[in-house]
Amino acid sequence: MGNPQTIWYNHQKQLVETIDQRKLPFQNLIIEIGTLEEAGDAISEMVVRGAPLIGVTAAYGMYLAARNYSGNDFQAEMKLAAEKLKSTRPTAVNLAFAVDEALSVISDHISVSENVEKLFDYAENLKHREIDFSKNIGLHGLKIIQEISETKNGEPVQIQTHCNAGRLACVELGTATAPIYLAHEAGIPVHVWVDETRPRNQGARLTAWELGDAGIPHTIIPDNTGGHLMQHNMVDMVIVGSDRTTLNGDVANKIGTYLKALAASDNGIPFYVALPSTSIDWNLNDGLLEIPIEQRDGREVSMMEGLLDGEVHEFMIFPEKSAVANYGFDVTPARLVTGLITERGVCKSTREGILNLFPEKMNL
Ligand code: MRU
């Protein structure tokens, strides 16, 4: 992949740098972020995407807003910056989490330049926290893959995933893919069924690229294929990520996740959600009623991008005048989730299960 992490601060240029995920897998381009506006645009235009990476980008965005500040009310300007960032994408709670945490490190009792330093440290710290979370999610999920592998007589563990909850969606390793990377490294044979994930094809474009780069056997499937594979014992487990999980265990993730969970439940296949605690919304209970679902431009559905004679082209793929709906996420009810794989361990997708792992959140 070339870049060990998905986002970093370039001290020489004094700019944040990240991979332009809109261009993968055809081009691997680095993009520079030097202002609050550029950070906001990178999130809304999906240069960066995936819940943890969106959070870390927003944290750097808050730092850049502070660094470029030249007004006469620092606190008010930072609150405005927070609102701007929060308005870019509504579903992944990591965004609001990072922005609110960044606001909480700002102090009236120190100078602006000291606050700028604190915000930089916060962004770096969040990035390193996400890396640690991914590693621990990987270790806890690895045990589940190991157990399944012991029943397979040396045959690969067949894992289905949806969208990209890989290193590109995080900083390193990923969430859903972290256990897969560690299993592969440990010599456990795995094979991944990669849902293409219409309309933006994060599975086909990003997850397949990542897994290929790591030498992990995988096969891209159209989104409608999972149920058929499950009915024919070709899937041992499903692991997906999450953009926002409520305290009672309802999971918002990329549109189409719910249908995979239904098919898994009908076929008795374990359906795991891997997520850091930064993707848990401690204030929400009912995912269906309370999680805001992003709706995006219909052109993401009607236009397809691909390579033709070595060049990237966009194509219109259906009647131009047809109406289009483009919901970015859906909610999988807690009852369909076998377990949540978090940085602190695996728990049932229930309020009790979550609070057992995170008792400090009990009185929120
Ligand atoms: O719209 P995206 O590409 O930002 O959606 C990403 C997903 O749905 C991921 O599965 C989710 O953020 C989990 S990332 C570890």
Side-chain angles (χ1 to χ4, degrees):
M1 167 184 281
N3 323 95
Q5 297 181 345
T6 51
I7 193 162
W8 59 92
Y9 187 75
N10 184 324
H11 287 271
Q12 228 172 0
K13 293 186 184 167
Q14 305 216 333
L15 292 168
V16 176
E17 292 185 331
T18 187
I19 302 164
D20 188 345
Q21 299 195 26
R22 298 167 305 179
K23 306 280 186 226
L24 290 170
F26 309 121
Q27 288 168 287
N28 189 354
L29 285 184
I30 305 300
I31 217 168
E32 294 172 346
I33 300 174
T35 63
L36 164 73
E37 287 69 28
E38 285 170 5
D41 288 349
I43 296 170
S44 58
E45 289 167 23
M46 294 179 70
V47 168
V48 295
R49 28 82 35 216
L53 181 59
I54 290 173
V56 174
T57 308
Y60 279 119
M62 290 293 283
Y63 155 67
L64 293 169
R67 189 178 77 176
N68 298 339
Y69 163 79
S70 61
N72 51 19
D73 189 342
F74 182 67
Q75 291 274 2
E77 198 146 315
M78 289 310 294
K79 280 189 190 137
L80 209 61
E83 288 316 310
K84 275 189 190 156
L85 285 166
K86 280 190 193 178
S87 69
T88 53
R89 292 193 75 190
T91 303
V93 72
N94 301 59
L95 174 55
F97 168 85
V99 164
D100 287 340
E101 234 183 32
L103 275 183
S104 76
V105 308
I106 295 172
S107 166
D108 262 345
H109 307 296
I110 56 177
S111 67
V112 168
S113 62
E114 283 167 323
N115 273 314
V116 171
E117 241 174 78
K118 276 185 132 200
L119 284 163
F120 179 74
D121 291 345
Y122 170 68
E124 291 278 301
N125 175 289
L126 179 64
K127 184 174 107 166
H128 290 291
R129 247 193 291 167
E130 289 296 355
I131 293 171
D132 282 347
F133 288 166
S134 284
K135 279 185 193 147
N136 286 316
I137 288 168
L139 290 170
H140 295 300
L142 171 63
K143 290 186 203 142
I144 300 170
I145 299 180
Q146 237 155 4
E147 272 170 31
I148 296 176
S149 178
E150 281 159 18
T151 68
K152 300 254 339 177
N153 293 323
E155 290 296 312
V157 178
Q158 300 287 344
I159 303 169
Q160 187 176 357
T161 192
H162 189 68
C163 194
N164 173 265
R167 54 194 298 180
L168 287 166
C170 303
V171 183
E172 286 180 9
L173 274 179
T175 55
T177 57
I180 302 174
Y181 283 124
L182 296 193
H184 179 70
E185 270 172 39
I188 298 171
V190 290
H191 169 266
V192 187
W193 296 107
V194 178
D195 287 346
E196 64 176 343
T197 320
R198 285 279 290 141
R200 292 185 67 101
N201 295 317
Q202 288 97 325
R205 291 183 68 146
L206 306 177
T207 305
W209 184 74
E210 268 195 52
L211 294 176
D213 195 55
I216 297 178
H218 63 278
T219 305
I220 298 168
I221 48 174
D223 286 326
N224 313 328
T225 310
H228 170 78
L229 296 179
M230 291 184 201
Q231 285 172 323
H232 291 84
N233 297 321
M234 294 163 81
V235 178
D236 295 309
M237 70 187 299
V238 181
I239 318 183
V240 297
S242 171
D243 290 85
R244 190 185 295 233
T245 291
T246 63
L247 193 46
N248 72 350
D250 293 338
V251 172
N253 191 49
K254 182 50 58 192
I255 191 83
T257 302
Y258 169 52
L259 292 179
K260 305 295 148 9
L262 278 177
S265 163
D266 192 44
N267 290 282
I269 291 164
F271 184 93
Y272 285 98
V273 178
L275 75 163
S277 53
T278 43
S279 298
I280 299 176
D281 190 330
W282 306 99
N283 299 312
L284 298 192
N285 283 300
D286 188 322
L288 270 178
L289 290 180
E290 296 178 292
I291 296 178
I293 299 295
E294 177 178 20
Q295 290 191 54
R296 295 186 60 87
D297 195 322
R299 282 172 63 86
E300 291 185 347
V301 183
S302 59
M303 304 297 289
M304 278 275 246
E305 208 179 58
L307 268 192
L308 184 67
D309 299 330
E311 277 185 30
V312 180
H313 292 271
E314 267 201 305
F315 306 93
M316 181 80 185
I317 58 167
F318 54 66
E320 219 161 334
K321 289 192 177 143
S322 294
V324 179
N326 186 12
Y327 294 92
F329 301 90
D330 61 23
V331 174
T332 299
R335 67 187 151 77
L336 296 176
V337 178
T338 308
L340 301 175
I341 308 173
T342 76
E343 73 269 17
R344 292 211 189 153
V346 181
C347 68
K348 283 210 169 123
S349 197
T350 59
R351 187 186 170 89
E352 201 190 5
I354 295 172
L355 289 177
N356 256 338
L357 288 182
F358 299 92
E360 72 275 20
K361 301 289 182 183
M362 195 83 76
N363 295 321
L364 278 184

